[in-house]
Amino acid sequence: MRFTRVLGAALLALGCAAGPAAADSSPSPSASDGGAGPTRAGTSFRTATEIEQDQRATASASAGDYLYWSFAADAEQRPTVRATVKLPDAHTAQTWQVDVYDGLRRRQACQYGAQTRTAAQGTASIDLTCVLRTVRAWSEPWADDPLPGTYYVRLTAIGLPAADLGLPVSTSVEVGAVNIGGGAAVDGSLAEPLVPGIAVTSERKDEDSSRKSAVLSSIEPDGGWSSGWWSSRWVWTGVGGILAALAGIGGYALTRGTGRPTRVPPGA
């Protein structure tokens, strides 16, 4: 009976711990749940337009332009970039590509997704997708792993003929992320996230001054940077310790016996 109670307590503890871990693997809300995003795009890394996760950004541009956006990704997240390009009515076949760079401007490979697509003549729009690898809290200096910090999205057409340069196009970009949880946790963290993001902004000075100053980017995840200090691995480690203790108690209860020792008569 006592061992049954011990086993029930162990199963209850395991069920309570499974709840947060299951929540970590759930996808982020869709873009329709968020507010309206920016309506412009930058033309370089330094002028990239900042967007939040689960927010749709739009921009009108010309074919041949390089369009840049930036977003923040934290440890244990797997970002997904989706881009849509609405093409003009009359155009030849066009090839569009979306690239993602980290805070050190290293191009990050897409784990899967249609990163480059060609639209045949008469196609109204084209959709691109890039699913990055899971962001790690720490990595070796020589590795090319995604790390917490700013990420840049670049959208452009490649190999355009001269006749198609300058045609008006409408673009939209959406960034989402799935929290992988403790399965992607590593033993280590960065001292600071990779946020070089230097954005040039205008400052209001005196009437006879129109200087500009460079300020650090303000983009960061909701709730700040975790830097890998917490993950569901802590929960599972604690649950493992509790289960080990309960197993020891249960084993002792089963093997100690229930009878009292027999007293030896004096002089026997």
Short mmCIF file of all heavy atoms in Angstrom, two decimals, residues 15-89:
data_model
loop_
_atom_site.label_atom_id
_atom_site.label_comp_id
_atom_site.label_asym_id
_atom_site.label_seq_id
_atom_site.Cartn_x
_atom_site.Cartn_y
_atom_site.Cartn_z
N GLY A 15 3.81 14.18 -14.34
CA GLY A 15 2.78 14.86 -15.12
C GLY A 15 2.86 16.37 -14.99
O GLY A 15 2.66 17.11 -15.96
N CYS A 16 3.15 16.86 -13.79
CA CYS A 16 3.28 18.32 -13.60
C CYS A 16 4.45 18.87 -14.38
O CYS A 16 4.41 19.99 -14.89
CB CYS A 16 3.45 18.63 -12.11
SG CYS A 16 1.98 18.27 -11.11
N ALA A 17 5.53 18.11 -14.49
CA ALA A 17 6.70 18.59 -15.22
C ALA A 17 6.49 18.54 -16.72
O ALA A 17 7.10 19.31 -17.46
CB ALA A 17 7.92 17.76 -14.84
N ALA A 18 5.67 17.62 -17.19
CA ALA A 18 5.46 17.51 -18.63
C ALA A 18 4.68 18.67 -19.19
O ALA A 18 4.77 18.97 -20.37
CB ALA A 18 4.73 16.19 -18.93
N GLY A 19 3.91 19.37 -18.33
CA GLY A 19 3.13 20.49 -18.81
C GLY A 19 3.96 21.61 -19.38
O GLY A 19 3.77 22.03 -20.53
N PRO A 20 4.96 22.17 -18.64
CA PRO A 20 5.79 23.24 -19.20
C PRO A 20 6.57 22.80 -20.42
O PRO A 20 6.76 23.57 -21.35
CB PRO A 20 6.73 23.59 -18.03
CG PRO A 20 6.05 23.10 -16.81
CD PRO A 20 5.27 21.91 -17.23
N ALA A 21 7.04 21.54 -20.44
CA ALA A 21 7.81 21.09 -21.60
C ALA A 21 6.95 21.03 -22.84
O ALA A 21 7.39 21.36 -23.94
CB ALA A 21 8.41 19.71 -21.31
N ALA A 22 5.69 20.61 -22.70
CA ALA A 22 4.80 20.57 -23.85
C ALA A 22 4.48 21.97 -24.33
O ALA A 22 4.34 22.22 -25.52
CB ALA A 22 3.52 19.82 -23.48
N ALA A 23 4.37 22.91 -23.39
CA ALA A 23 4.08 24.28 -23.80
C ALA A 23 5.23 24.89 -24.57
O ALA A 23 5.03 25.73 -25.45
CB ALA A 23 3.78 25.13 -22.55
N ASP A 24 6.48 24.47 -24.25
CA ASP A 24 7.63 25.03 -24.95
C ASP A 24 7.62 24.69 -26.43
O ASP A 24 8.13 25.44 -27.25
CB ASP A 24 8.93 24.52 -24.32
CG ASP A 24 9.19 25.15 -22.97
OD1 ASP A 24 8.56 26.19 -22.70
OD2 ASP A 24 9.99 24.59 -22.19
N SER A 25 7.09 23.53 -26.79
CA SER A 25 7.13 23.09 -28.18
C SER A 25 5.97 23.60 -29.01
O SER A 25 5.89 23.30 -30.19
CB SER A 25 7.15 21.56 -28.23
OG SER A 25 5.98 21.04 -27.63
N SER A 26 5.05 24.36 -28.41
CA SER A 26 3.91 24.86 -29.17
C SER A 26 4.34 26.02 -30.04
O SER A 26 5.17 26.84 -29.65
CB SER A 26 2.80 25.30 -28.20
OG SER A 26 3.28 26.32 -27.35
N PRO A 27 3.78 26.15 -31.25
CA PRO A 27 4.18 27.23 -32.13
C PRO A 27 3.70 28.58 -31.64
O PRO A 27 2.75 28.68 -30.86
CB PRO A 27 3.51 26.84 -33.47
CG PRO A 27 2.37 25.98 -33.07
CD PRO A 27 2.82 25.24 -31.84
N SER A 28 4.36 29.63 -32.10
CA SER A 28 3.98 30.97 -31.72
C SER A 28 2.68 31.35 -32.40
O SER A 28 2.28 30.76 -33.40
CB SER A 28 5.09 31.95 -32.12
OG SER A 28 6.29 31.59 -31.50
N PRO A 29 1.96 32.38 -31.88
CA PRO A 29 0.71 32.81 -32.52
C PRO A 29 0.96 33.28 -33.94
O PRO A 29 2.05 33.70 -34.30
CB PRO A 29 0.24 33.97 -31.62
CG PRO A 29 0.94 33.76 -30.32
CD PRO A 29 2.25 33.10 -30.65
N SER A 30 -0.06 33.24 -34.77
CA SER A 30 0.06 33.67 -36.16
C SER A 30 0.14 35.18 -36.23
O SER A 30 -0.15 35.89 -35.27
CB SER A 30 -1.14 33.16 -36.97
OG SER A 30 -2.33 33.70 -36.45
N ALA A 31 0.47 35.67 -37.40
CA ALA A 31 0.62 37.12 -37.57
C ALA A 31 -0.68 37.84 -37.38
O ALA A 31 -0.71 39.03 -37.05
CB ALA A 31 1.19 37.41 -38.96
N SER A 32 -1.82 37.17 -37.61
CA SER A 32 -3.11 37.83 -37.46
C SER A 32 -3.38 38.22 -36.01
O SER A 32 -4.23 39.06 -35.74
CB SER A 32 -4.22 36.92 -37.96
OG SER A 32 -4.22 35.70 -37.23
N ASP A 33 -2.66 37.57 -35.06
CA ASP A 33 -2.85 37.90 -33.65
C ASP A 33 -2.07 39.15 -33.24
O ASP A 33 -2.31 39.71 -32.18
CB ASP A 33 -2.40 36.72 -32.77
CG ASP A 33 -3.26 35.51 -33.01
OD1 ASP A 33 -4.43 35.66 -33.43
OD2 ASP A 33 -2.75 34.40 -32.82
N GLY A 34 -1.11 39.56 -34.03
CA GLY A 34 -0.29 40.71 -33.68
C GLY A 34 -0.80 41.99 -34.32
O GLY A 34 -1.74 42.00 -35.11
N GLY A 35 -0.16 43.09 -33.98
CA GLY A 35 -0.56 44.36 -34.54
C GLY A 35 0.04 44.57 -35.92
O GLY A 35 0.78 43.75 -36.46
N ALA A 36 -0.32 45.72 -36.51
CA ALA A 36 0.19 46.04 -37.84
C ALA A 36 1.68 46.34 -37.77
O ALA A 36 2.17 46.97 -36.84
CB ALA A 36 -0.57 47.25 -38.39
N GLY A 37 2.41 45.84 -38.75
CA GLY A 37 3.85 46.03 -38.79
C GLY A 37 4.24 47.25 -39.59
O GLY A 37 3.39 47.98 -40.12
N PRO A 38 5.54 47.49 -39.73
CA PRO A 38 6.02 48.64 -40.51
C PRO A 38 5.68 48.49 -41.98
O PRO A 38 5.45 47.39 -42.49
CB PRO A 38 7.53 48.61 -40.27
CG PRO A 38 7.83 47.21 -39.84
CD PRO A 38 6.63 46.72 -39.13
N THR A 39 5.65 49.60 -42.66
CA THR A 39 5.26 49.63 -44.08
C THR A 39 6.42 50.08 -44.97
O THR A 39 6.20 50.66 -46.02
CB THR A 39 4.06 50.55 -44.29
OG1 THR A 39 4.39 51.87 -43.80
CG2 THR A 39 2.84 50.04 -43.55
N ARG A 40 7.62 49.82 -44.54
CA ARG A 40 8.79 50.17 -45.33
C ARG A 40 9.89 49.16 -45.05
O ARG A 40 9.81 48.38 -44.11
CB ARG A 40 9.29 51.58 -45.00
CG ARG A 40 9.72 51.75 -43.56
CD ARG A 40 10.15 53.17 -43.24
NE ARG A 40 10.54 53.32 -41.85
CZ ARG A 40 11.75 53.03 -41.37
NH1 ARG A 40 12.67 52.58 -42.20
NH2 ARG A 40 12.02 53.18 -40.10
N ALA A 41 10.91 49.17 -45.89
CA ALA A 41 12.06 48.28 -45.72
C ALA A 41 13.34 49.09 -45.89
O ALA A 41 13.37 50.10 -46.60
CB ALA A 41 12.01 47.15 -46.74
N GLY A 42 14.40 48.63 -45.25
CA GLY A 42 15.69 49.28 -45.41
C GLY A 42 16.35 48.84 -46.70
O GLY A 42 15.90 47.91 -47.38
N THR A 43 17.43 49.51 -47.03
CA THR A 43 18.16 49.20 -48.25
C THR A 43 19.57 48.67 -47.97
O THR A 43 20.33 48.45 -48.90
CB THR A 43 18.26 50.45 -49.14
OG1 THR A 43 18.88 51.51 -48.40
CG2 THR A 43 16.88 50.90 -49.60
N SER A 44 19.90 48.46 -46.69
CA SER A 44 21.20 47.92 -46.31
C SER A 44 21.10 47.35 -44.90
O SER A 44 20.06 47.50 -44.24
CB SER A 44 22.29 49.00 -46.38
OG SER A 44 22.07 49.99 -45.38
N PHE A 45 22.17 46.73 -44.42
CA PHE A 45 22.17 46.21 -43.07
C PHE A 45 21.98 47.32 -42.05
O PHE A 45 21.26 47.16 -41.06
CB PHE A 45 23.49 45.47 -42.79
CG PHE A 45 23.60 44.14 -43.46
CD1 PHE A 45 24.35 43.98 -44.61
CD2 PHE A 45 22.96 43.02 -42.94
CE1 PHE A 45 24.46 42.75 -45.24
CE2 PHE A 45 23.06 41.79 -43.56
CZ PHE A 45 23.81 41.65 -44.72
N ARG A 46 22.61 48.45 -42.28
CA ARG A 46 22.56 49.55 -41.31
C ARG A 46 21.19 50.20 -41.24
O ARG A 46 20.83 50.76 -40.21
CB ARG A 46 23.63 50.59 -41.65
CG ARG A 46 25.04 50.13 -41.40
CD ARG A 46 26.05 51.20 -41.80
NE ARG A 46 25.86 52.44 -41.05
CZ ARG A 46 26.41 52.69 -39.87
NH1 ARG A 46 27.17 51.78 -39.29
NH2 ARG A 46 26.21 53.84 -39.27
N THR A 47 20.45 50.14 -42.33
CA THR A 47 19.14 50.80 -42.35
C THR A 47 17.99 49.79 -42.34
O THR A 47 16.86 50.13 -42.67
CB THR A 47 19.01 51.69 -43.59
OG1 THR A 47 19.15 50.89 -44.78
CG2 THR A 47 20.08 52.77 -43.59
N ALA A 48 18.28 48.54 -41.95
CA ALA A 48 17.24 47.51 -41.93
C ALA A 48 16.10 47.91 -41.00
O ALA A 48 16.33 48.42 -39.89
CB ALA A 48 17.83 46.18 -41.49
N THR A 49 14.87 47.69 -41.44
CA THR A 49 13.69 48.02 -40.64
C THR A 49 13.46 46.95 -39.59
O THR A 49 13.40 45.76 -39.91
CB THR A 49 12.46 48.14 -41.54
OG1 THR A 49 12.66 49.20 -42.48
CG2 THR A 49 11.22 48.44 -40.72
N GLU A 50 13.33 47.36 -38.34
CA GLU A 50 13.12 46.41 -37.25
C GLU A 50 11.67 45.95 -37.22
O GLU A 50 10.74 46.75 -37.31
CB GLU A 50 13.48 47.06 -35.91
CG GLU A 50 14.95 47.44 -35.79
CD GLU A 50 15.25 48.11 -34.46
OE1 GLU A 50 14.30 48.28 -33.67
OE2 GLU A 50 16.42 48.45 -34.21
N ILE A 51 11.48 44.64 -37.07
CA ILE A 51 10.14 44.07 -36.95
C ILE A 51 10.13 43.11 -35.77
O ILE A 51 11.16 42.54 -35.40
CB ILE A 51 9.71 43.34 -38.24
CG1 ILE A 51 10.68 42.21 -38.59
CG2 ILE A 51 9.57 44.31 -39.39
CD1 ILE A 51 10.25 41.39 -39.78
N GLU A 52 8.96 42.95 -35.18
CA GLU A 52 8.78 42.01 -34.09
C GLU A 52 8.39 40.65 -34.65
O GLU A 52 7.89 40.54 -35.77
CB GLU A 52 7.70 42.51 -33.13
CG GLU A 52 7.98 43.86 -32.50
CD GLU A 52 9.08 43.80 -31.45
OE1 GLU A 52 9.37 42.68 -30.98
OE2 GLU A 52 9.63 44.86 -31.10
N GLN A 53 8.61 39.63 -33.86
CA GLN A 53 8.14 38.31 -34.25
C GLN A 53 6.61 38.30 -34.28
O GLN A 53 5.95 39.00 -33.51
CB GLN A 53 8.66 37.24 -33.29
CG GLN A 53 10.15 37.00 -33.40
CD GLN A 53 10.58 35.80 -32.58
OE1 GLN A 53 9.76 35.00 -32.12
NE2 GLN A 53 11.88 35.64 -32.37
N ASP A 54 6.05 37.52 -35.20
CA ASP A 54 4.60 37.39 -35.38
C ASP A 54 3.99 38.71 -35.83
O ASP A 54 2.85 39.03 -35.47
CB ASP A 54 3.92 36.90 -34.10
CG ASP A 54 4.53 35.62 -33.59
OD1 ASP A 54 4.74 34.71 -34.40
OD2 ASP A 54 4.80 35.55 -32.37
N GLN A 55 4.72 39.48 -36.59
CA GLN A 55 4.25 40.76 -37.11
C GLN A 55 4.55 40.80 -38.60
O GLN A 55 5.64 40.42 -39.03
CB GLN A 55 4.96 41.91 -36.38
CG GLN A 55 4.30 43.25 -36.53
CD GLN A 55 5.01 44.32 -35.69
OE1 GLN A 55 6.23 44.41 -35.72
NE2 GLN A 55 4.26 45.11 -34.95
N ARG A 56 3.59 41.24 -39.37
CA ARG A 56 3.76 41.29 -40.82
C ARG A 56 4.20 42.69 -41.25
O ARG A 56 3.55 43.68 -40.94
CB ARG A 56 2.46 40.92 -41.53
CG ARG A 56 2.59 40.85 -43.06
CD ARG A 56 1.24 40.52 -43.70
NE ARG A 56 0.78 39.22 -43.29
CZ ARG A 56 1.12 38.07 -43.89
NH1 ARG A 56 1.93 38.11 -44.95
NH2 ARG A 56 0.65 36.92 -43.47
N ALA A 57 5.32 42.74 -41.95
CA ALA A 57 5.85 44.01 -42.47
C ALA A 57 5.63 44.04 -43.98
O ALA A 57 5.79 43.03 -44.66
CB ALA A 57 7.33 44.15 -42.15
N THR A 58 5.26 45.20 -44.49
CA THR A 58 5.02 45.36 -45.92
C THR A 58 5.89 46.49 -46.45
O THR A 58 6.34 47.36 -45.70
CB THR A 58 3.54 45.68 -46.20
OG1 THR A 58 3.17 46.88 -45.49
CG2 THR A 58 2.65 44.53 -45.73
N ALA A 59 6.12 46.46 -47.75
CA ALA A 59 6.91 47.51 -48.39
C ALA A 59 6.65 47.49 -49.89
O ALA A 59 6.50 46.42 -50.49
CB ALA A 59 8.40 47.33 -48.10
N SER A 60 6.59 48.66 -50.47
CA SER A 60 6.52 48.82 -51.93
C SER A 60 7.91 49.14 -52.43
O SER A 60 8.62 49.97 -51.85
CB SER A 60 5.53 49.92 -52.31
OG SER A 60 4.22 49.59 -51.88
N ALA A 61 8.32 48.49 -53.51
CA ALA A 61 9.67 48.67 -54.00
C ALA A 61 9.70 48.47 -55.51
O ALA A 61 8.65 48.33 -56.16
CB ALA A 61 10.62 47.69 -53.31
N SER A 62 10.89 48.48 -56.05
CA SER A 62 11.10 48.25 -57.47
C SER A 62 11.91 46.98 -57.65
O SER A 62 12.80 46.67 -56.83
CB SER A 62 11.82 49.44 -58.11
OG SER A 62 11.07 50.63 -57.97
N ALA A 63 11.63 46.25 -58.69
CA ALA A 63 12.39 45.03 -58.96
C ALA A 63 13.85 45.37 -59.15
O ALA A 63 14.21 46.29 -59.90
CB ALA A 63 11.84 44.34 -60.22
N GLY A 64 14.71 44.66 -58.45
CA GLY A 64 16.14 44.93 -58.46
C GLY A 64 16.63 45.57 -57.18
O GLY A 64 17.84 45.59 -56.93
N ASP A 65 15.70 46.08 -56.34
CA ASP A 65 16.10 46.66 -55.05
C ASP A 65 16.45 45.56 -54.06
O ASP A 65 15.93 44.44 -54.13
CB ASP A 65 14.97 47.51 -54.47
CG ASP A 65 14.72 48.78 -55.26
OD1 ASP A 65 15.60 49.16 -56.06
OD2 ASP A 65 13.66 49.40 -55.08
N TYR A 66 17.33 45.89 -53.12
CA TYR A 66 17.63 45.01 -52.00
C TYR A 66 16.83 45.52 -50.80
O TYR A 66 16.99 46.67 -50.38
CB TYR A 66 19.13 45.01 -51.67
CG TYR A 66 19.96 44.22 -52.65
CD1 TYR A 66 20.45 44.81 -53.81
CD2 TYR A 66 20.25 42.88 -52.41
CE1 TYR A 66 21.21 44.08 -54.71
CE2 TYR A 66 21.01 42.14 -53.31
CZ TYR A 66 21.49 42.74 -54.45
OH TYR A 66 22.24 42.02 -55.34
N LEU A 67 15.99 44.67 -50.24
CA LEU A 67 15.13 45.06 -49.12
C LEU A 67 15.59 44.33 -47.86
O LEU A 67 15.82 43.12 -47.88
CB LEU A 67 13.67 44.70 -49.43
CG LEU A 67 13.12 45.23 -50.76
CD1 LEU A 67 11.69 44.77 -50.96
CD2 LEU A 67 13.22 46.75 -50.82
N TYR A 68 15.71 45.08 -46.76
CA TYR A 68 16.26 44.54 -45.52
C TYR A 68 15.30 44.78 -44.35
O TYR A 68 14.74 45.88 -44.21
CB TYR A 68 17.61 45.20 -45.17
CG TYR A 68 18.76 44.79 -46.07
CD1 TYR A 68 18.95 45.40 -47.30
CD2 TYR A 68 19.66 43.81 -45.67
CE1 TYR A 68 20.01 45.03 -48.13
CE2 TYR A 68 20.72 43.44 -46.48
CZ TYR A 68 20.89 44.05 -47.70
OH TYR A 68 21.95 43.68 -48.51
N TRP A 69 15.14 43.75 -43.54
CA TRP A 69 14.44 43.84 -42.26
C TRP A 69 15.32 43.16 -41.20
O TRP A 69 16.17 42.34 -41.53
CB TRP A 69 13.09 43.15 -42.29
CG TRP A 69 12.08 43.76 -43.21
CD1 TRP A 69 11.13 44.70 -42.88
CD2 TRP A 69 11.88 43.47 -44.60
NE1 TRP A 69 10.37 45.01 -43.98
CE2 TRP A 69 10.80 44.28 -45.05
CE3 TRP A 69 12.50 42.62 -45.50
CZ2 TRP A 69 10.34 44.25 -46.35
CZ3 TRP A 69 12.06 42.59 -46.81
CH2 TRP A 69 10.99 43.40 -47.23
N SER A 70 15.09 43.48 -39.94
CA SER A 70 15.83 42.83 -38.85
C SER A 70 14.85 42.42 -37.76
O SER A 70 13.82 43.07 -37.54
CB SER A 70 16.91 43.76 -38.28
OG SER A 70 16.33 44.91 -37.69
N PHE A 71 15.19 41.33 -37.06
CA PHE A 71 14.36 40.85 -35.95
C PHE A 71 15.27 40.22 -34.92
O PHE A 71 16.46 39.95 -35.18
CB PHE A 71 13.31 39.84 -36.44
CG PHE A 71 13.89 38.55 -36.96
CD1 PHE A 71 14.01 37.43 -36.15
CD2 PHE A 71 14.32 38.46 -38.29
CE1 PHE A 71 14.55 36.25 -36.64
CE2 PHE A 71 14.86 37.27 -38.78
CZ PHE A 71 14.97 36.17 -37.95
N ALA A 72 14.74 39.98 -33.75
CA ALA A 72 15.51 39.38 -32.65
C ALA A 72 15.11 37.93 -32.47
O ALA A 72 13.93 37.58 -32.55
CB ALA A 72 15.28 40.15 -31.35
N ALA A 73 16.09 37.06 -32.23
CA ALA A 73 15.83 35.65 -31.95
C ALA A 73 16.67 35.24 -30.75
O ALA A 73 17.86 35.56 -30.68
CB ALA A 73 16.18 34.78 -33.16
N ASP A 74 16.05 34.55 -29.82
CA ASP A 74 16.72 34.16 -28.57
C ASP A 74 17.05 32.67 -28.59
O ASP A 74 16.65 31.93 -29.49
CB ASP A 74 15.82 34.49 -27.38
CG ASP A 74 16.61 34.75 -26.11
OD1 ASP A 74 17.85 34.56 -26.13
OD2 ASP A 74 16.01 35.13 -25.09
N ALA A 75 17.78 32.25 -27.57
CA ALA A 75 18.20 30.86 -27.47
C ALA A 75 17.00 29.92 -27.43
O ALA A 75 15.95 30.26 -26.87
CB ALA A 75 19.07 30.66 -26.23
N GLU A 76 17.15 28.76 -28.05
CA GLU A 76 16.16 27.68 -28.10
C GLU A 76 14.97 28.01 -28.99
O GLU A 76 13.95 27.31 -28.94
CB GLU A 76 15.69 27.31 -26.69
CG GLU A 76 16.81 26.86 -25.77
CD GLU A 76 16.33 26.56 -24.37
OE1 GLU A 76 15.11 26.39 -24.18
OE2 GLU A 76 17.18 26.50 -23.46
N GLN A 77 15.06 29.06 -29.80
CA GLN A 77 14.01 29.37 -30.76
C GLN A 77 14.43 28.90 -32.15
O GLN A 77 15.61 28.92 -32.51
CB GLN A 77 13.74 30.87 -30.81
CG GLN A 77 13.03 31.42 -29.60
CD GLN A 77 12.66 32.88 -29.76
OE1 GLN A 77 13.22 33.60 -30.57
NE2 GLN A 77 11.69 33.34 -28.98
N ARG A 78 13.45 28.48 -32.94
CA ARG A 78 13.68 28.11 -34.34
C ARG A 78 12.89 29.09 -35.21
O ARG A 78 11.70 28.92 -35.43
CB ARG A 78 13.25 26.69 -34.61
CG ARG A 78 13.49 26.23 -36.06
CD ARG A 78 13.01 24.82 -36.28
NE ARG A 78 13.78 23.87 -35.49
CZ ARG A 78 13.41 22.61 -35.28
NH1 ARG A 78 12.28 22.16 -35.77
NH2 ARG A 78 14.18 21.81 -34.57
N PRO A 79 13.55 30.14 -35.71
CA PRO A 79 12.82 31.17 -36.48
C PRO A 79 12.43 30.66 -37.87
O PRO A 79 13.11 29.84 -38.48
CB PRO A 79 13.85 32.32 -36.59
CG PRO A 79 14.91 32.01 -35.58
CD PRO A 79 14.94 30.51 -35.46
N THR A 80 11.32 31.19 -38.35
CA THR A 80 10.83 30.93 -39.70
C THR A 80 10.51 32.26 -40.37
O THR A 80 9.76 33.07 -39.82
CB THR A 80 9.57 30.05 -39.68
OG1 THR A 80 9.88 28.79 -39.09
CG2 THR A 80 9.06 29.81 -41.09
N VAL A 81 11.10 32.48 -41.53
CA VAL A 81 10.89 33.72 -42.29
C VAL A 81 10.03 33.38 -43.50
O VAL A 81 10.37 32.48 -44.28
CB VAL A 81 12.23 34.34 -42.73
CG1 VAL A 81 11.99 35.59 -43.58
CG2 VAL A 81 13.09 34.67 -41.51
N ARG A 82 8.95 34.11 -43.66
CA ARG A 82 8.06 33.95 -44.82
C ARG A 82 7.96 35.28 -45.55
O ARG A 82 7.73 36.31 -44.92
CB ARG A 82 6.68 33.47 -44.39
CG ARG A 82 6.66 32.10 -43.75
CD ARG A 82 5.24 31.67 -43.40
NE ARG A 82 5.20 30.32 -42.84
CZ ARG A 82 5.35 30.03 -41.55
NH1 ARG A 82 5.56 31.02 -40.69
NH2 ARG A 82 5.31 28.79 -41.13
N ALA A 83 8.14 35.23 -46.85
CA ALA A 83 8.08 36.45 -47.67
C ALA A 83 7.15 36.21 -48.86
O ALA A 83 7.12 35.11 -49.43
CB ALA A 83 9.47 36.83 -48.17
N THR A 84 6.40 37.24 -49.21
CA THR A 84 5.50 37.19 -50.36
C THR A 84 5.78 38.40 -51.25
O THR A 84 5.89 39.52 -50.75
CB THR A 84 4.03 37.20 -49.92
OG1 THR A 84 3.78 36.06 -49.09
CG2 THR A 84 3.10 37.15 -51.13
N VAL A 85 5.90 38.16 -52.53
CA VAL A 85 6.14 39.23 -53.50
C VAL A 85 4.99 39.24 -54.50
O VAL A 85 4.73 38.22 -55.16
CB VAL A 85 7.49 39.03 -54.23
CG1 VAL A 85 7.74 40.19 -55.19
CG2 VAL A 85 8.63 38.90 -53.23
N LYS A 86 4.31 40.37 -54.59
CA LYS A 86 3.25 40.54 -55.59
C LYS A 86 3.86 41.20 -56.82
O LYS A 86 4.38 42.31 -56.75
CB LYS A 86 2.11 41.38 -55.03
CG LYS A 86 1.38 40.70 -53.87
CD LYS A 86 0.22 41.54 -53.38
CE LYS A 86 -0.53 40.83 -52.24
NZ LYS A 86 -1.66 41.65 -51.74
N LEU A 87 3.80 40.50 -57.94
CA LEU A 87 4.47 40.92 -59.16
C LEU A 87 3.54 41.73 -60.05
O LEU A 87 2.31 41.63 -59.95
CB LEU A 87 4.97 39.68 -59.91
CG LEU A 87 5.89 38.77 -59.10
CD1 LEU A 87 6.13 37.46 -59.85
CD2 LEU A 87 7.20 39.46 -58.80
N PRO A 88 4.11 42.57 -60.92
CA PRO A 88 3.27 43.35 -61.84
C PRO A 88 2.57 42.44 -62.86
O PRO A 88 2.94 41.28 -63.04
CB PRO A 88 4.28 44.29 -62.52
CG PRO A 88 5.59 43.60 -62.38
CD PRO A 88 5.54 42.85 -61.08
N ASP A 89 1.57 43.00 -63.52
CA ASP A 89 0.79 42.20 -64.48
C ASP A 89 1.63 41.69 -65.63
O ASP A 89 1.53 40.54 -66.03
CB ASP A 89 -0.39 43.03 -65.02
CG ASP A 89 -1.40 43.35 -63.92
OD1 ASP A 89 -1.44 42.59 -62.94
OD2 ASP A 89 -2.12 44.35 -64.03
#
